Each structure stands twice: as structure tokens, then as C-alpha cells.
Amino acid sequence: MWHYRNWSAAAFLYLGLHGTYTLLWLIKQSVFADKRFAQPIPLWIGVLTPFLPLMAYTIGPYLLISEHTVPPSWVFANIYLHYSAPG
């Protein structure tokens, strides 16, 4: 956001949702550590299986921030309803 000087509502929404999730995941990992993450694996497995497929998740935020994309208002309403709906 700083690099592209994009302080839009969509950028803050993405930062809020995914930044909060990341912080909560790091807290969970420090409190309830998963022993499988401590096991060493070969480099080629680490690159081919989790790293490369998960890199696709960086395309969306990059395009949102760098292109100053303004999503339609129904996107915000949909996200609100998704997180506030009961059950």
C-alpha cells in the first residue's frame, strides 16, 4: 500500500482481513505449535508443494493494490454478510 500509495477502502479491507488472519495464525502457532512444521523436508518438496501453489495467492492483492482497483460496492456487502451471518 505504501509503495503504490494506495490507501483505498478495498486495500484496507484486504489488509484487515488477511493481516488479522496472519496475526491470529502466528499467535496460534506460537501457543499450540504443530510438530509437523518442525520436521525438516527436502528443499525441492518445500518449493514444489506448498510454496509455488501458494504464490498464486499474491496475484490478487498485487493487482488490487498496484492497479488501484475499485471493486463494486456489492463486494463489500457480500464480505460483510459472509462474516456477520449466523451459523
Side-chain angles (χ1 to χ4, degrees), residues 43-61:
L43 181 63
W44 68 273
I45 291 177
V47 169
L48 289 179
T49 51
F51 184 73
L52 285 179
L54 292 176
M55 284 299 294
Y57 284 108
T58 63
I59 295 170

Side-chain angles (χ1 to χ4, degrees), residues 3 10 18 25 28-29 34-35 46 48 50 55 62 74 81 86:
H3 180 73
H18 292 274
W25 190 89
K28 182 218 50 111
Q29 182 63 20
D34 189 350
K35 304 292 188 260
L48 289 179
M55 284 299 294
Y62 173 76
W74 63 265
L81 292 174

Side-chain angles (χ1 to χ4, degrees), residues 1 3-6 59-69:
M1 289 172 58
H3 180 73
Y4 291 104
R5 305 215 186 332
N6 185 348
I59 295 170
Y62 173 76
L63 292 175
L64 178 76
I65 303 298
S66 67
E67 300 294 323
H68 294 267
T69 304

Side-chain angles (χ1 to χ4, degrees), residues 7-87:
W7 309 107
S8 65
F12 272 107
L13 180 65
Y14 196 91
L15 175 66
L17 292 174
H18 292 274
T20 303
Y21 177 79
T22 301
L23 288 175
L24 292 174
W25 190 89
L26 290 171
I27 291 170
K28 182 218 50 111
Q29 182 63 20
S30 65
V31 175
F32 305 105
D34 189 350
K35 304 292 188 260
R36 293 178 294 172
F37 284 113
Q39 297 173 351
I41 60 172
L43 181 63
W44 68 273
I45 291 177
V47 169
L48 289 179
T49 51
F51 184 73
L52 285 179
L54 292 176
M55 284 299 294
Y57 284 108
T58 63
I59 295 170
Y62 173 76
L63 292 175
L64 178 76
I65 303 298
S66 67
E67 300 294 323
H68 294 267
T69 304
V70 179
S73 59
W74 63 265
V75 171
F76 294 103
N78 190 20
I79 292 171
Y80 172 76
L81 292 174
H82 173 75
Y83 286 105
S84 63

